Amino acid sequence: TSDIITMVNIEKLQEKLGEALGLEMAAQKAVDELGSRGLLDENGMLTQLKKMQSQAGNHQSKLEEMVQNLGNGSAELDSSKVQQVAEETAQKCSTMMQTYLGQDPDSSEAIEFLCIAEGGEVTHYEVLAAISKRLNGKIKNARKLSITVNSILREEKRHLASCIRLAKQTATSK
């Protein structure tokens, strides 16, 4: 039963890694799209969000490297499955953003959507941290995964706090 539990946890790990990766990809795309539409111009938002976007790119690279490390030399993790989930998640996020913003969004709606996205990232990294902790000692590189995920999680919590601060500033500056 221990092997079955590990297999189930690896499937969850693949799914959550894919979702986290997709969220990082979507976050970068959202900042580009919202910025190009002029929706992030207030209160110096774009400068702060561009920094977070760059960090999201770093998170994406770290996750992709982890997926590669976890997939190498073991049949445990299927990196193509992770990538498939990532692409599906990024597409879902894009659809959610279009739905949330509607036809004529303003800066408040744009930053509030980014807050929702950051909240989703924090949640996914919390779950990923719990899964990786549970797999520690059961799969190769689980400890390194835990360290990486917890490092990203700390940064994502800062991103969420920054987004909330920007949303409040934007809502009260009019």
Side-chain angles (χ1 to χ4, degrees):
T1 57
S2 175
D3 288 344
I4 293 170
I5 291 169
T6 300
M7 238 170 60
V8 168
N9 285 331
I10 288 171
E11 286 177 19
K12 284 182 189 172
L13 176 65
Q14 285 176 170
E15 185 179 330
K16 290 300 160 201
L17 278 169
E19 289 170 353
L21 197 51
L23 289 169
E24 295 294 359
M25 293 159 53
Q28 294 169 77
K29 185 179 173 194
V31 170
D32 281 340
E33 189 174 324
L34 296 172
S36 71
R37 291 169 67 181
L39 294 170
L40 305 177
D41 293 342
E42 292 184 31
N43 301 314
M45 268 198 291
L46 192 56
T47 303
Q48 293 175 58
L49 292 170
K50 284 289 186 183
K51 182 179 179 192
M52 283 194 270
Q53 180 187 37
S54 170
Q55 290 168 340
N58 291 339
H59 298 167
Q60 180 181 344
S61 296
K62 286 178 185 178
L63 285 176
E64 288 170 342
E65 186 181 321
M66 265 327 307
V67 168
Q68 204 64 34
N69 289 341
L70 290 166
N72 281 347
S74 77
E76 293 170 331
L77 191 94
D78 181 354
S79 57
S80 65
K81 175 72 176 159
V82 173
Q83 192 58 43
Q84 178 188 343
V85 172
E87 289 166 14
E88 289 169 4
T89 301
Q91 183 55 51
K92 286 177 190 175
C93 289
S94 181
T95 302
M96 282 173 45
M97 184 174 82
Q98 301 312 323
T99 302
Y100 184 86
L101 294 176
Q103 292 300 313
D104 191 25
D106 63 16
S107 291
S108 283
E109 290 166 319
I111 190 62
E112 288 165 6
F113 175 78
L114 292 176
C115 287
I116 292 168
E118 288 297 336
E121 285 182 293
V122 168
T123 303
H124 278 77
Y125 282 109
E126 288 281 5
V127 171
L128 202 46
I131 292 170
S132 62
K133 184 176 181 182
R134 189 154 188 212
L135 288 171
N136 203 2
K138 295 183 175 91
I139 64 168
K140 194 173 106 182
N141 291 321
R143 180 156 163 54
K144 186 175 181 188
L145 174 65
S146 254
I147 291 167
T148 300
V149 167
N150 283 306
S151 167
I152 294 172
L153 175 59
R154 283 189 297 279
E155 203 161 65
E156 289 299 343
K157 286 179 177 178
R158 286 192 296 273
H159 288 180
L160 178 57
S162 294
C163 269
I164 291 169
R165 187 177 31 73
L166 289 169
K168 287 177 183 178
Q169 286 174 356
T170 302
T172 57
S173 68
K174 294 179 180 172

